[in-house]
Amino acid sequence: MNGPLHGGPTIGSQALRVLARHPGRIAFSWDGGQMTYGAARELIGRLQRVFAAAGLGRGDRMAFLTGNRAEVWCASIAAQASGIAITWLHPLASAADQLFQIEDCAAAALVVDPIHHHERGGELASAAALVFTAGPARYGTDLLAAADAAGACSPQDLARADDTAILNYTGGTTGRSKGVARSHAMAAPATAAILADFEIPREPRYLAVAPISHVAGTKIIPVLARGGTVHMTTGFAADRLLRTISRERINMTLLVPTMIYGLLDHPGLDDADLSMLELVLYGAAPISPTRLMEAMARIGPVFSQLYGQSECYPISVLRKGDHDASQPELLSSCGIPVMNCEVKLLGDDGQEVPQGEPGEICVRCPHIMASYWNRPDETASALEHGWLHTGDIAKADERGYLYIVDRKKDMIVSGGFNVYPREVEDALTAHPDVSMAAVIGVPDERWGEAVMAVVVLRADAAADAAALQQFVKEKKGSMLTPKRIEFVEALPVTAVGKIDKKAIRAKYWAGRARMLG
């Protein structure tokens, strides 16, 4: 029987412990500033005093809208160590989606970074009873000024293992966003999994360029646990990223595939000094194996794929050594489950599928969510039969490597056959003229759904639709060949950097209900 003896640390105790070890080292840096481990720990104590004075404490929720800022990360730890659950508003989401999130979790307070989100913060200010700003603004209470005035206060971890630590809202690619609730006992084990299974450098210098509101933020405590430095920057621009890696001697970062494509398409890549890079983590969306091979050749043997989702992260990792040009099939894999995850591929009947057959990735591990916030029916469905059902369809080989075929809800049923869009997308992006591709099913009187591709060509490309259709036909056969191909300048992406197929489908399915196989 589990009890306090078999419990573990909270998020707050993890953070305060790692910050106490090296008080004089630089924990955070950014263009024009830096913060030591000791200063970060002291700031957390002051912020806890401010939150307590405002009447905030155990059981409350606090929303954050921020760029990548060390002070706001400290505020999030101060909240969690006080028993307050935090929820990150994605900085690229719409005002309507951010308001929904604040209202859905009944946030008692909102923390806004006015450097990057002053105007949007003003739009959201009326949604929370208390509004704090990380610096002066025309609304709310200046949180940093209040912390300075609060006086020194030793930080304390007041949270309990069963307190809700965080509400991560899903990307909403297949419907309304849902709040994924985790207690401290469920959130803290992810740190151990990252330290155990990710190849974090011995002395990490981590560039946080993707929003810390999502997966990039999960690397902060592991980096600090190694005595490293987190360099904060907000927003992706390929030229700035290349300069920052060189100037700050960055040896670790995390990018989504669209960022990697941006680097590969930037004319300055081959002249940039990336010699210090040891680890480039990538994930959040499928990557083209062809473009990944190009990245390995031009940037180096530094890539490692992570796989997980809001409901459970991490699930698996494809390590640097698995990125082997002599084994190109592995570049389509999302790796092997991390050591504290049990993964099985289950069919619709709930039984494990034979090796090599597609099944839904289902997971058991300590860092799975507790529930979808206030959504008992959806929680019961996601956790049916004692497994987390990820909605991702995959195959496994004899060595245990997982190969994601596609999202269950993205599967196209054409003429009675199941078509997984990712297979078609990988074939299209293998063409030298194609930069990115998204494949969807569109209504078709004959086939029910027809395979359609929306394609972004590389600069100066000459391929037309017929050439690409013939290319796919030769690689994958006629069943997977797109019946239609449209060319666009850019693909829409969600706030978390995934290609937004829901937005792409919208104009083709307007007024019609899409049937899922």
Side-chain angles (χ1 to χ4, degrees):
M1 179 179 295
N2 290 333
L5 182 64
H6 298 96
T10 64
I11 295 293
S13 67
Q14 283 183 334
L16 295 177
R17 182 195 310 168
V18 300
L19 289 171
R21 290 176 57 204
H22 310 290
R25 282 189 189 176
I26 302 302
F28 299 98
S29 63
W30 56 91
D31 290 352
Q34 59 186 28
M35 182 185 297
T36 65
Y37 280 65
R41 199 170 190 278
E42 181 187 10
L43 177 58
I44 289 169
R46 290 172 179 265
L47 291 166
Q48 283 189 287
R49 176 172 282 182
V50 173
F51 293 153
L56 297 166
R58 175 170 289 112
D60 287 325
R61 270 83 60 198
M62 183 178 292
F64 290 80
L65 176 61
T66 183
N68 288 353
R69 288 187 60 187
E71 300 95 332
V72 182
W73 181 84
C74 289
S76 75
I77 296 299
Q80 289 178 308
S82 301
I84 301 167
I86 67 168
T87 187
W88 298 100
L89 306 180
H90 199 291
L92 302 181
S94 68
D97 285 345
Q98 291 167 344
L99 280 168
F100 165 78
Q101 187 171 333
I102 293 170
E103 293 166 357
D104 186 68
C105 74
L110 169 66
V111 177
V112 176
D113 161 18
I115 294 176
H116 300 101
H117 299 286
H118 186 275
E119 293 305 314
R120 177 59 61 81
E123 294 178 46
L124 304 178
S126 62
L130 292 170
V131 178
F132 298 102
T133 59
R138 59 178 172 78
Y139 54 85
T141 298
D142 185 336
L143 182 60
L144 302 183
D148 286 342
C153 179
S154 296
Q156 298 181 65
D157 181 35
L158 306 175
R160 297 188 298 236
D162 60 350
D163 287 335
T164 301
I166 190 165
L167 291 165
N168 292 117
Y169 275 71
T170 60
T173 54
T174 58
R176 194 52 149 163
S177 183
K178 301 181 286 291
V180 175
R182 279 189 186 81
S183 68
H184 285 271
M186 298 166 184
T191 296
I194 291 167
L195 284 167
D197 287 278
F198 290 35
E199 297 163 288
I200 295 175
R202 176 176 291 184
E203 297 180 5
R205 293 186 61 80
Y206 172 49
L207 177 60
V209 58
I212 63 169
S213 54
H214 285 69
V215 68
T218 65
K219 306 303 173 291
I220 293 177
I221 292 180
V223 165
L224 298 176
R226 291 276 169 88
T229 298
V230 179
H231 186 85
M232 297 283 203
T233 186
T234 297
F236 173 77
D239 55 346
R240 184 179 64 188
L241 179 65
L242 293 171
R243 289 196 306 270
T244 302
I245 290 173
S246 176
R247 184 185 67 244
E248 301 295 330
R249 302 186 67 76
I250 297 298
N251 60 12
M252 170 187 171
T253 191
L254 183 149
L255 305 174
V256 298
T258 52
M259 293 178 180
I260 295 174
Y261 303 157
L263 288 179
L264 294 175
D265 294 338
H266 190 273
L269 172 62
D270 293 330
D271 295 325
D273 179 9
L274 307 180
S275 59
M276 290 294 294
L277 266 183
E278 296 180 39
L279 178 65
V280 176
L281 295 165
Y282 66 93
I287 192 168
S288 158
T290 302
R291 301 230 73 188
L292 177 57
M293 187 83 80
E294 179 187 353
M296 291 160 52
R298 297 176 64 192
I299 297 174
V302 296
F303 290 91
S304 179
Q305 182 182 167
L306 50 86
Y307 165 65
Q309 55 181 198
S310 299
E311 293 84 349
C312 180
Y313 176 83
I315 293 174
S316 69
V317 61
L318 187 72
R319 296 167 72 88
K320 290 191 293 183
D322 295 322
H323 289 69
D324 183 353
S326 68
Q327 300 183 74
E329 69 281 359
L330 282 181
L331 301 185
S332 298
S333 172
C334 65
I336 290 177
V338 297
M339 287 301 292
N340 67 345
C341 274
E342 181 183 7
V343 173
K344 288 191 176 180
L345 304 184
L346 303 183
D348 291 337
D349 59 0
Q351 300 300 307
E352 190 170 9
V353 301
Q355 183 191 301
E357 293 297 315
E360 183 178 9
I361 296 176
C362 295
V363 185
R364 288 174 175 161
C365 72
H367 48 269
I368 284 173
M369 70 173 188
S371 67
Y372 290 123
W373 186 253
N374 291 335
R375 289 169 172 79
D377 292 343
E378 291 174 87
T379 299
S381 177
L383 302 180
E384 189 176 16
H385 305 308
W387 292 90
L388 169 68
H389 293 256
T390 66
D392 288 327
I393 303 299
K395 299 178 182 179
D397 67 17
E398 67 281 357
R399 293 187 293 170
Y401 286 89
L402 299 172
Y403 297 80
I404 295 178
V405 180
D406 226 313
R407 288 290 295 170
K408 193 172 184 179
K409 294 181 180 179
D410 284 344
M411 185 177 70
I412 301 166
V413 182
S414 184
F417 292 97
N418 295 340
V419 176
Y420 293 103
R422 185 174 178 185
E423 291 186 77
V424 187
E425 290 161 357
D426 286 350
L428 283 164
T429 55
H431 192 285
D433 283 354
V434 175
S435 174
M436 299 174 66
V439 171
I440 60 170
V442 295
D444 187 273
E445 292 300 324
R446 180 180 179 186
W447 303 105
E449 286 187 287
V451 179
M452 175 182 169
V454 183
V455 171
V456 178
L457 293 175
R458 298 198 197 198
D460 303 320
D464 59 13
L468 294 182
Q469 286 170 320
Q470 183 61 30
F471 184 79
V472 175
K473 185 176 181 179
E474 291 174 359
K475 292 180 74 70
K476 305 298 294 186
S478 59
M479 189 179 75
L480 273 64
T481 300
K483 301 292 190 292
R484 295 169 56 185
I485 294 180
E486 290 188 5
F487 296 99
V488 296
E489 292 296 319
L491 294 172
V493 295
T494 70
V496 294
K498 299 181 182 181
I499 293 174
D500 192 347
K501 291 190 176 179
K502 186 171 67 173
I504 296 171
R505 288 191 194 100
K507 70 176 181 178
Y508 304 104
W509 289 92
R512 305 177 67 160
R514 180 170 183 259
M515 300 301 293
L516 298 174

